[in-house]
Amino acid sequence: MLDNRRDDPRVAGVRIGILGAGRIGGNAGRLWSRAGHDVLISFSRDPDGLPARAAALGDHVGAATPAQAVAVADVVMLAVPWDAIDEALRQATGLAGKVVIDATNPFGSAARPGSGQTVAQYNSARMPGARYVRAFNTLTASFQAAASTRPSHERAVL
């Protein structure tokens, strides 16, 4: 689980819950951990392997159920395949009032936004009360990882 560093007023880390432990969610978890934030990853195709995946991502990364990750998070990232969104949100519970970063893209067979409706409009309606943000969905995980290690004057800004 997350440590108690946030209880220390000298630490400015954020508690981040990630729904999805694949390329996008895992990469974000690794980078946020390196930056000193506490991260919980959840909702994996391999739930039994989630603790090992978390350990491989960094010192400040743990594994949890979606509901546990959301309950303790200041910020939640949704980074699951399009066809898994409904189930991830069903398991997450409690998104009202949370900042939710949506990194999904509408590739798959599940329902998509209607004509004239954006993915942001469609997905934000699926998370009533969440403080919805759409980001991390236009750059590949490998690009994001490589760009994060560039010198500060060469970094990409998202």
Side-chain angles (χ1 to χ4, degrees), residues 7 18 73 76 82 98 108 115 126 139 144 146 153:
D7 296 333
I18 302 177
V76 176
W82 188 261
K98 300 281 183 173
S115 178
R126 297 160 93 177
L139 301 173
Q144 291 176 38
H153 67 283

Side-chain angles (χ1 to χ4, degrees), residues 21-58:
R23 289 184 292 270
I24 296 293
N27 184 59
R30 178 184 301 109
L31 297 174
W32 285 329
S33 172
R34 278 190 210 155
H37 302 293
D38 291 319
V39 178
L40 281 177
I41 59 171
S42 67
F43 199 80
S44 171
R45 286 177 234 190
D46 177 19
D48 293 335
L50 203 54
R53 173 83 167 131
L57 293 175

Side-chain angles (χ1 to χ4, degrees), residues 8-128:
D8 184 338
R10 298 168 295 172
V11 177
V14 175
R15 292 178 173 168
I16 303 169
I18 302 177
L19 305 175
R23 289 184 292 270
I24 296 293
N27 184 59
R30 178 184 301 109
L31 297 174
W32 285 329
S33 172
R34 278 190 210 155
H37 302 293
D38 291 319
V39 178
L40 281 177
I41 59 171
S42 67
F43 199 80
S44 171
R45 286 177 234 190
D46 177 19
D48 293 335
L50 203 54
R53 173 83 167 131
L57 293 175
D59 293 338
H60 302 289
V61 182
T65 67
Q68 291 167 333
V70 169
V72 299
D74 301 309
V75 175
V76 176
M77 175 184 237
L78 178 63
V80 299
W82 188 261
D83 290 344
I85 293 173
D86 286 334
E87 182 60 21
L89 294 177
R90 186 190 70 72
Q91 290 183 31
T93 67
L95 291 173
K98 300 281 183 173
V99 173
V100 177
I101 302 169
D102 178 6
T104 66
N105 283 307
F107 302 114
S109 60
R112 292 190 175 103
S115 178
Q117 186 180 38
T118 67
V119 168
Q121 290 168 326
Y122 183 76
N123 278 351
S124 65
R126 297 160 93 177
M127 301 173 229

